[in-house]
Structures are given as C-alpha cells and as structure tokens.
Amino acid sequence: MRHGRTRSVDSDILVVGAGPAGLAAAIEASEHGATVSIVDENARPGGQLLKQTHRFFGSERHQAGTRGIDIGSRLVATARDRNVDLILDTPVIGIFNGLVVAVNDNRHFLSTRPRRIILATGAAENAISFPGWSLPGVITAGAAQTFVNVHRIRVGENIVVVGSGNVGLIVAYQLMQAGSNVVAIVEAMGQVGGWGVHAAKIRRMGIPILTRHTITEAAGDTHVEQITVHEVDDRLNRLPGSEKALEADTVCLAVGMSPRSHLAEMADCAFTDVPELGGTIPIHNAIMQTSIRSIYCAGDVSGVEEASTAIEEGRLAGLGAAFSLDLVESDLYERRAAICMKALDDLRSGPFGQQRKTGKDAVLREYDEYYKNR
Amino acid sequence: MNTTRTDDCQGIRKSGVLSKEELENCKGMPSEERLKRGPIAVIECSEEIPCNPCEANCPRDAIDIGGVITAPPHLLEQKCVGCGLCISRCPGLAITVVDLTGERSDKVSLPYEFCPLPEVGEIVHAMNRTGKIVCDAEVLTVKNEERNDRTAIVTLLVPNGYGMEVRFFARSGRRRN
Amino acid sequence: MSREQVRTEVAVIGAGIIGVSAAFFLRELGRDVVLVERGGIGEESSGKNAGSMPLQVKKGPLIALCRGGIMTWREMDQDFGGLGFVQSGGLRVAETRQELETLRQQADARNKLGADISILTKQETRSIAPYLSTAIHGVAYCPWDSHCDALTGTQSIARAAMQRGVEIVEHSPVMRLEQTTTGHVNVITEKTLFRCNKVLLAAGAWTRQLALSLAVDIPTDIWIKQMLVTARSERIIKHMLTHTRGNLTLKQVECGSVLIGGGWIGDEARGISRTRFSSILGNVQLAARIVPDLKRLEIVRTWVGTDCRTSDGLPIIGSLSGKEGVYVAVACVGGYAAGPYVGKLVAQTMSNGISEQPLEPFSLSRFHVNGCSRVKPARKPRPAEKKSA
Amino acid sequence: MTAAFDKRITDHPILGPLDTTEQCTIFVDSKPLIARLGEPILAALMANDIWITRFTKKLGAPRGLFCGIGLCNDCLVFVDGLGCVRSCVTAVEEDMSIETRTNEKRRF
C-alpha cells in the first residue's frame, strides 16, 4: 500500500502485456520511431511463448517450424534492440480516464498518461466444475505447461487431460515429454477438437482420446486419487451405467479460454459478444483500434486465437498507433497493413480458421455499426 | 486400459487416427510402386491447416502446397529421394521416411522428442498409429543433429510388412542378443 | 401484451435492505407480501456498501433509528444468521487537538439522544487500540458501533423472508403505479399487474423516478462512492474505525480482509460508475496514516457503490399524503445500519397504522409545500481531493 | 500423492538438463528446504512434495496449484515480511520464511 513514483514513463505508446501480441506491437511501433514502453506483470517477458516448447505452424513469415520458446526470445531480443522499455513485474491495475496505473515490484504506484495505449492482455483459461474439482491435483492445462516447461516441475505422475482442442493435445504431448504418463484425453464432443496431426501424435503413443465422454468426479482426500468419467449423448447428458474409473493423480483442464478484457472495460471500450472468439471482446476495426480512439487491442484479448495471429494483430496495432501519431507515411502504412491483413486471412483460412474468421468479421461489422449509430 | 476403440476406423476427426481410406486419399502418401523403389517420405497430413515448412525446407522441391497455405501437402514422389530433412521440419511430426526395399526388414525413420534417446542396437516395442505394440524393432540409427533443432530422427528396423504400420516405439530395456 | 393479474395484500418495491426487511416484518405481522425488484436482491447500494454501522457519527433523530437498527441486525443474526454482524464497538479518531474537541462537543449532544459515546485520551486509546498510529490524539468510543457483511446481509434477510412466505419477484422493473377507484394500487411490470391494498416504495435512489407516475416528488439523488478491500491478513484492527472528518471507515471482517471506505467519490460516465484513482490513492493514504500496519497489505479490489441522498441527511419514511395506500421508505447516506429497523417501523405503520417510534421527523411533507418540492435536490459532493487536504 | 516420483524434471528433450547451480534455502513451516534460486515458491513446495498451500477457511478444503499464473489466488501462502502472496508467481529468496496454511490454527 505504499505509493509514490519510482520511475517515470513518458513513452508515446504504452503496451500492456509482453506476450507475442504486445512484443510485436512494440517492435512495429518503434520501427517507425515511436517511443514505446511495455508493462507486464510477470518477471520474464514472452507471455505464453515462454512455455511453448513445440514448433509453430504457419509460413516462413510466422517462423513456422520454430519452437514457440525461440520465437519468444527472438521477439524479446528484437524489442530490446529497438530500445523498447520493458517494465516487468508490474501489473497494471487500472485505466482511469486515460491514466494508466500500475504497481511495480517495490509496490509503488506508477502512473502515466500515454498518447496511445495498446492492450495485449491475453486470455485466461476457463474451468469446468464437477465434484472434487477444487482438490489439489485439478489444474488448468496452462498451469501444467507453466510448471512443466518453465519451472521444470512434474505436475503429476498419471494425468487425465480434459478437452481435446489443440491446447489439450499439445499439453498432453508435453506432459509425456516431461516423463509423466497421460492416462487419457477426455472430450465431450463426438470428435477431436484440435488438429489431426496433434491427435495422431497422441494416439500413436497409446494415449486414448475418449470422445463423447465427460469427467464427472475427482475423488481423493487431500489430493486427486481417482477420476470418474461418463459417456455422454449428443446433448451431453450422461449415459446411465457408463461410468469408468481412471487411476490418476492429476487432471488438466483444457476447456477453452476467455479474453482478459478488464482493462478495456475500465477504459470504457465498447464490447461485443463473439462466442467463436471466446466471449466478450472490445470491438475494433481492421487495424485493431477500439471504440476509444487512443486505445488499440491485439492478441487474445481481441478474440482468442493463437500466437501467430497475435503477432500479426500486434504488428497492425503498433502500425496503427504509430500512423495515428503521424510517424508513418500513408503509402508505407497501407502497404504494411495490407501484408499483415493478408497474413491474418491466410492464418484464418481452412476449416479450422473459418470460425474465427467469421467471428472477426462480426467484430468488424459491430465496429462499423457502432460508428454509424453515433 | 485398452487403447483400441471401435471408432478407430472412423477417421482422424473421430479418433485421431487416419483411417485406411484417409491414408489412401492423402496426397502426401507415396504410391506402392514408388515405395518399392527406395526410401521416400510419407506425409500423413490430411487436413487443411495453415502450415508449409515442409514445402519451404525440401531441398528437391518434392513437396507442393501451392498458393493457399492451408492446402495439404502434395508429395511429388518422383522428386523425393527420402533424405528425411522434412521429418524434423514438420510441426505436426506427421512425416516419416520409410524404406521397404530391404530383403528381410523395412526401415522406418521417425521423429522422436523424448529423453533419454534410445541407443543404436536397442530392441524397442514398435507401435502402430493407435499405439498398439505390433512387433519388435531394432534401433538402427539415432540422429540428433543441430539442424534438426532437438527433434531426433530414429531409424528402426522392422520386419517386412511393418514399414507402413509402425509409427512410434516404446523402450523395452532390451538389446540385440 | 396482456399481463398476468396477481392479487396481493401488500407489494414492496425494491429488494434492498429496507425492502427485504419491510417484507420480512410485514410477513411477521401476518400480511400477504410480494416483493418486486428490477434487478437482483441487494444488488445496488445495499450490496455494494462496506457494511459499516457506526452509530456515533449519526446525529439528531437518526441516532434512535440507528440504535434500533443495530438491535434489529443483532436479533436477526441470532434468529437466522448469515449477516456477518459484529458489534465491535467503534473508535472515531481525532488527528488534532481541535478534532478531539469537536468529538467532545458532538459526544455531549449525541449522548443526550442515547449514543453512549465516551472520549478516550491518547494513553487510554493506546491501551485499547495499540494498532492505531501514535499520532492519534484521542478517540471517541461508542459501544454501539458495529459492522456487518453487505455481500450476504440483504441476501440472508431476503432468504428468511422467503422462508416465511414472502414471494420475491426479481428482474422485473416496475413500469408504473396506478391508484384505482376501488382504493387499490396497481403495480405494473412488463409481465404482471399486482393489484394490492398497500404498496411500499423502497427503491432507494430510484424511488424518485418510480413515484413520478403518481405525480409525487421524492427529492433524492445518487452519490457514487467507492470502497477498497485488502487481502486477508492476521487480525490487526479490532474496532469499527471512523474519522472525525467523516472521510474514513475501516474495519477488519471475519475472514481477515480490511474494508476501507469513507464516502470517497467515484466517477460516472454514460451511466456507468467507475472508480477514481485519486480517490483510491487518497483513501489508502489516509487509512495507512491511521493504521500504519495496513502498509503491508495488498489492495485486492476496489469498487463503486451508490448512496441514496436526501438534502437534510435524514431518511424519508411514512405514508404519502393524498395517496391512499402508498408508503415510502428510503434511507439516506449511511442508512444501511438503520435499514432493517426502518423496514420494521414502516411495516408496523402499514400493518397497524402506528409504529414503535414516531415517524413524523422523517415524513416526506417536510420537503413539500402545497404538494410542491420546496428544496433543491441535494448538493453535489465536494471533490474528494479536498477532503483529504 | 499416491506414489513417490521425481518432481524435478532434471532432463528434458527440448529444454535440456536442469540448471541447479544456484540454490537457496527456504523455511517452510519452519522446516528448511532446498529451492532453485528465482523459482516461484509453489514450484519449490511441489519439488519438495508439498502440494497443499492452504485449507479454505469455511470448509477446511485443501487448495494448491490451479492456474499457475497468478489469476486464481488458490495458492496463497504467508511469507514473513511480504504477507499473503500468490505462491505461483512469487519468487523464492534466500532464507525466506514461508507458512503454508496447512496449520489451521492460524486464522486467516
């Protein structure tokens, strides 16, 4: 509760969040001569890239085939090269009428009124509840990834993963790499959620993917000792008598993410609900500008996708913010924006990207509506 | 737990395992004639996902994706010599190189990202696409070169007829007698 | 769209602390009661306040109401529980000699009205409250001062009322009120028409708008104020703390969190209330000056609540003259403590025509001359920055 | 936990061998334990087979790791000099004194 100013931040642009979107935004904006600071609550920059030990998809532009951890270190190195001011261990606690307030590691308030704000605050994992879900041993997939790949702690010996989206499949694989045994992946839908290549990788290791199953209980005294799963019908009703017991000490929940949009909400950004993108997100235009003209958003906070799209959105936001400060020539701005938009379209094409593309289009329409009605 | 489920033959979306038909229709699969002629890449990638490092990294331009990044890779089997460079480039670890020309055994080179790595000469349990142990295999080579960026390439010797079936292995702790 | 018609003896509008208590006591008095709420139970002022109930800061006729309130809170907590009621006794701190003198004068006046305040010197203060800053000159101690849990208080009373047979209809805004020629009052929501013999308007700051359909002006307005809560901690603060200047309330609730308030104002933009950073800062600085140990704690949450204000700081309770069967009960700043008792008194009046305490000082007619409001709406609050000066 | 297993991932196919050169001693409920310098308190606890960070006040239910990134507040512990902290995002320091709330006598 101490207060007082320990350091001043007087950059043109303040980016909140040092994940892929925030770093890309800062790099892009600084390339055009803007002074940029990034504030992040964590001790290390990189966001979720810090725990992505797998190779990324996409094209050469997205460093496809490179591991997420390495993409993260490259982004951080580039940002440092460009003199981006990285303010770590400093959670932003609020935006009050354009005044951004953070608390840095010495528990001192740090407040600044930047000319542009880029919100790249990411997403938070969803949970599902069932009897025993609060027992130690029930953790989110992200927690498993963080502890296994960043802190190098094995989170359990025999693990059940709930959810077969890409996150569930990738985390199951990484748990196996860390020497744990994945007992099964449980999926309530009738088919695997994530990409076939990830699923195939899991299956050939002998891990079953129990589609049309749901977890119904985690039992144990002070830690998970046994899991019960049930088969479900099309409407997710349990089939009586279908329960199976699985011997496991850990459950990883990989059941989707929701945008962390509190700061956008505090800043009075207008919102829309897009289930395809994880829920309520600030409306924004194609260059990621929100309904508050000085605030941009990028990455999962503007709709949950993945790191490659977050990087492209970050570039757009950084470019847009720099352009609005008259730091970019129009034709350069348009050229670069077009490249990013084309890349985003590519990443959102195909049957898996289509839904997200539809969601993003809905956000753009909402944005147009919003300005028409004002 | 029995890992083989009745829906295993229902295809990649339902089970996570490519069905026989899906494998046959997959553009990354070499023809039987080509398989008989020597080592070649087998790309088990059937879905439209945004990805093209296999195409970008093939030194012989033997993999074609085309203008749309989500198109599945097309193996140009006449150009591929089975060099195996693509194995570690595939983010989905969906590529193996098989050589079915051996007199007594087939060779399968597959990506392996676990430690400790097996030793040359070790006997392992060879597993198929559903994780079922189908035969014993002998580790022929283990390559963990820097250019493969921590994805080791393990080449297994499996009995004839298993080259297109074996896709993973588990350590058995045994060695060749 | 045709509305479902429902007959009831009494309708109460507004499920805040006064509305749920009135419904509870009306039911205890044998009445048939429907409680209609535009949102959820206790979602506005009654759920967003900090649960402070310092009797010693009240003046005039409010003292008796507040004493009754604290006794009612205690009885209800013993009866059905869940209110988080703690009669910790309260200390009102003086940071200067002049402030201590002010406290002395106020104590003399308020004790005549039953406030039971005693003044403690610096040494006496240190012996009962060593956690206070050594710079404190003295305190006024009042054994009545209490606090409760605003998150659960109104909810628990509502639950008890339901168990006793009160019907609560949530998420049903009342569109208008009508007096019928047969002497009934119609309470009209989107889906339902409640035909009742008597209606109680207990919609807090929104009562003014509600009463417009009856052509009555109830001069209240809204004050947006903010509060903070710290992470849990070992026991530091043992009393309900207030400040002579009126800009601080501090208490440590049972779970270990410290709630910090004192009427610091928040912002409002486009109908949405927001916390104001300068108010957070000022409130925190003041709290840490009074209880230095608080410097160690983390603020985990800040939020804004609303207060219904009247220009003279007193609640408005009683029947509306010329409007047969229509009653009103709205509190004022700091009215949460008195809330259940206000509900009890108005229930008695509605049911029996008389209450255990006279309600004349709180009559709406004090604002009205010939049916017209004769006072301006309450003045705007002073900017918070000045308060801490 | 049902069976003992190695909590520290000493070797990893992608991340390589674990660097344990910088260690420190922390005191958890007065017991000295070895931690890797700079790792979060919770990682140190788990490495030493402590999975419960606290019991809830109302029901006495155990809590431990859940979100791992400081959002859920399930893993709160009490640290001398710092107070109540989220153990998954607070780094250990030499001689740090940590109280897990397995001791229910402590009233939080």
Side-chain angles (χ1 to χ4, degrees), chain C residues 36 93 97 152 172 244 251 303 353 380:
Chain C
V36 189
V93 301
R97 214 154 293 200
T152 59
S172 302
T244 313
K251 75 197 77 75
W303 71 98
K380 288 244 181 289

Side-chain angles (χ1 to χ4, degrees), chain A residues 78-261:
Chain A
T78 313
R80 291 217 156 102
D81 276 354
R82 300 269 152 75
N83 287 323
V84 170
D85 180 22
L86 274 169
I87 307 169
L88 300 169
D89 260 328
T90 305
V92 170
I93 59 160
I95 298 178
F96 305 84
N97 282 327
L99 180 76
V100 182
V101 180
V103 182
N104 79 359
D105 49 354
N106 300 320
R107 295 178 167 203
H108 290 282
F109 284 128
L110 180 151
S111 60
T112 172
R113 204 175 275 284
R115 296 169 70 194
R116 298 290 179 270
I117 299 170
I118 298 174
L119 297 175
T121 45
E125 291 182 277
N126 299 337
I128 50 168
S129 58
F130 45 85
W133 79 292
S134 62
L135 272 175
V138 179
I139 62 176
T140 67
Q145 233 184 359
T146 308
F147 271 67
V148 166
N149 293 343
V150 182
H151 308 319
R152 303 286 294 263
I153 299 288
R154 218 163 263 134
V155 291
E157 194 174 21
N158 293 300
I159 302 174
V160 169
V161 175
V162 178
S164 72
N166 277 342
V167 173
L169 297 171
I170 289 171
V171 168
Y173 182 76
Q174 292 177 355
L175 288 166
M176 294 289 286
Q177 285 183 306
S180 296
N181 171 43
V182 175
V183 178
I185 297 181
V186 180
E187 170 60 57
M189 296 298 148
Q191 56 176 27
V192 178
W195 293 348
V197 286
H198 288 312
K201 214 158 62 179
I202 292 300
R203 287 302 316 274
R204 66 180 179 243
M205 286 193 279
I207 301 169
I209 301 177
L210 305 174
T211 52
R212 236 179 258 295
H213 274 73
T214 189
I215 182 165
T216 46
E217 191 180 352
D221 184 18
T222 56
H223 199 284
V224 175
E225 285 162 25
Q226 195 183 59
I227 312 296
T228 309
V229 296
H230 270 77
E231 207 168 331
V232 293
D233 64 17
D234 289 351
R235 297 166 144 197
L236 305 183
N237 297 314
R238 292 177 206 182
L239 301 182
S242 67
E243 74 250 44
K244 289 187 208 52
L246 304 178
E247 293 302 320
D249 50 54
T250 303
V251 179
C252 287
L253 303 176
V255 291
M257 280 174 266
S258 304
R260 279 179 79 186
S261 52

Side-chain angles (χ1 to χ4, degrees), chain A residues 1-3 96-97 99 101 107 109 265-266 268 370, chain C residues 267 274-275 277 280-281 285 294-299:
Chain A
M1 275 181 30
R2 270 165 283 165
H3 50 85
F96 305 84
N97 282 327
L99 180 76
V101 180
R107 295 178 167 203
F109 284 128
E265 204 175 317
M266 252 187 120
D268 274 334
Y370 181 83
Chain C
D267 280 324
R274 292 271 180 254
T275 50
F277 184 58
I280 295 176
L281 208 58
Q285 283 172 334
L294 291 182
K295 281 181 192 156
R296 300 190 278 114
L297 303 190
E298 259 175 55
I299 303 291

Side-chain angles (χ1 to χ4, degrees), chain C residues 3 13 22 24 68 73 135 147 161 163 177 230 265 304-305 320 334 340 343 372:
Chain C
R3 293 185 173 86
I13 304 172
F24 176 90
W73 276 107
H147 57 87
Q163 279 161 1
L177 301 162
T230 71
I265 63 170
V304 284
L320 292 189
C372 296

Side-chain angles (χ1 to χ4, degrees), chain C residues 10-29:
Chain C
V10 185
V12 177
I13 304 172
I17 184 63
I18 295 179
V20 299
S21 305
F24 176 90
F25 286 111
L26 280 161
R27 188 70 206 136
E28 294 276 274
L29 293 165

